[in-house]
Amino acid sequence: MRVYSPEEKEAEAAAIGYKVVGPLQESDQLFKPYEPVFAVVQIGSHQFKVSNGDSIFTESLKFCNVNDKLILNKVLLLGSTTQTIVGRPTVPTATVHAVVEEHALDAKVIIFKKKRRKNYRRTKGHRQELTKLRITDIQGIEKPQTTEPVKPVKAAVKKPEKVAVAA
Amino acid sequence: MNKKKVFNLAKGFRGRAKNCNRIARERVEKALQYSYRDRRSKKRDMRSLWIQRINAGTRLHSVNYGNFMHGLMKENIQLNRKVLSELSMHEPLSFKALVDISRNAFPGNKNVVHPPRKVSIPVSV
């Protein structure tokens, strides 16, 4: 296990995987309701079309622990209901914020090799290491502002109390 | 407990292959060999499926797949086929924007395929 002693080396390796580790805080309100905005982000060599509140399984990312905030800065396309921003190849001022949910192992696949009539049979099991990310925010595009319907404020109406009629 | 593992993997097999040890072991070994081979061919099949979907999406806008990808490569847009197929299915407006970019970048899209016109044949019963 190589020891990445200076933090600059960690930053360089993070730049290869297009992620920047931010500090982890528990008092932020990160999880907003769904917004109709999507982005295409690249992590390593895989591209994902993400939106607010999605969860993604990527290859295991080193240098980040659970409950870390990440900033993914290789964004290839941004889209909303009104506009589309296409990067060539990336959009430089766009970022996608994500939180590391868990580091997990994939389901086991059995690797079985056999040559018939030659008495050769090999069995191996394999579980790939994955990281689950939860996408919290997409920045770099104008989000359509949802106009909430103004609920009519009902004035306090006092219902006439039924007075017991004393017979 | 290899016998137990074999029967666990043999669930849903046909006939005696799910119940009898000798036959189940043969069928399970064949199934594992097929899964090894198909994990490699799944990558090829998925790419072929994405290309078919992109082709269908671009032909709605009278551009074929080859010219579309040529235009994207000229514009240095590095979206891969998986994402392009998802856009063509779920984000039609963004996909149309990409088709327009490709059409402007590569102006050889004049002699392109037009969607076939549906000729209504009167049905006489």
Side-chain angles (χ1 to χ4, degrees), chain A residues 11 48 102 113 119:
Chain A
F48 303 95
E102 60 171 334
K113 300 185 187 178
N119 202 16

Side-chain angles (χ1 to χ4, degrees), chain B residues 34-121:
Chain B
Y34 284 149
S35 70
Y36 178 86
R37 175 201 70 184
D38 289 334
R39 261 176 261 133
R40 281 121 183 90
S41 62
K42 180 161 71 171
K43 300 161 178 68
R44 308 175 215 153
D45 294 340
M46 292 304 286
R47 181 166 163 135
S48 164
L49 175 67
W50 299 329
I51 292 178
Q52 290 175 25
R53 285 184 175 166
I54 297 170
N55 208 353
T58 59
R59 279 173 197 251
L60 289 176
H61 301 290
S62 68
V63 170
N64 55 1
Y65 169 81
N67 295 336
F68 174 63
M69 295 309 289
H70 186 57
L72 288 192
M73 292 306 140
K74 268 202 166 179
E75 285 281 316
N76 195 15
I77 295 175
Q78 287 175 7
L79 295 163
N80 63 0
R81 282 140 185 90
K82 174 179 100 171
V83 155
L84 284 172
S85 74
E86 290 182 16
L87 291 177
S88 78
M89 285 196 291
H90 302 301
E91 310 283 342
L93 302 171
S94 301
F95 193 66
K96 184 170 194 313
L98 286 170
V99 170
D100 291 337
I101 292 174
S102 165
R103 212 199 310 246
N104 292 335
F106 176 56
N109 286 335
K110 305 292 183 181
N111 313 325
V112 291
V113 181
H114 296 280
R117 286 185 212 147
K118 293 182 185 175
V119 179
S120 59
I121 303 171

Side-chain angles (χ1 to χ4, degrees), chain A residues 39-151:
Chain A
V40 172
V41 74
Q42 176 161 348
I43 300 176
S45 65
H46 304 286
Q47 299 177 3
F48 303 95
K49 171 186 165 292
V50 292
S51 177
N52 192 10
D54 287 351
S55 66
I56 288 180
F57 282 102
T58 65
E59 310 155 15
S60 70
L61 308 170
K62 303 187 270 187
F63 317 122
C64 53
N65 312 313
V66 186
N67 287 333
D68 269 0
K69 283 197 282 186
L70 302 188
I71 298 178
L72 313 168
N73 44 21
K74 198 176 185 195
V75 177
L76 304 170
L77 186 84
L78 287 164
S80 74
T81 50
T82 48
Q83 32 166 324
T84 308
I85 303 177
V86 182
R88 289 157 170 79
T90 66
V91 181
T93 56
T95 55
V96 171
H97 296 267
V99 174
V100 177
E101 227 173 85
E102 60 171 334
H103 287 303
L105 295 172
D106 204 0
K108 182 183 277 194
V109 291
I110 299 179
I111 298 159
F112 183 76
K113 300 185 187 178
K114 174 174 175 145
K115 288 198 196 287
R116 56 180 181 179
R117 300 184 291 272
K118 305 302 171 195
N119 202 16
Y120 169 79
R121 191 166 60 177
R122 297 285 180 268
T123 312
K124 199 177 193 181
H126 179 70
R127 301 194 72 180
Q128 182 73 13
E129 294 183 7
L130 301 175
T131 302
K132 189 174 182 187
L133 299 179
R134 174 78 54 171
I135 307 294
T136 52
D137 195 17
I138 297 175
Q139 287 175 3
I141 194 169
E142 286 180 13
K143 298 175 187 175
Q145 292 177 356
T146 55
T147 56
E148 293 182 4
V150 178
K151 294 179 184 174

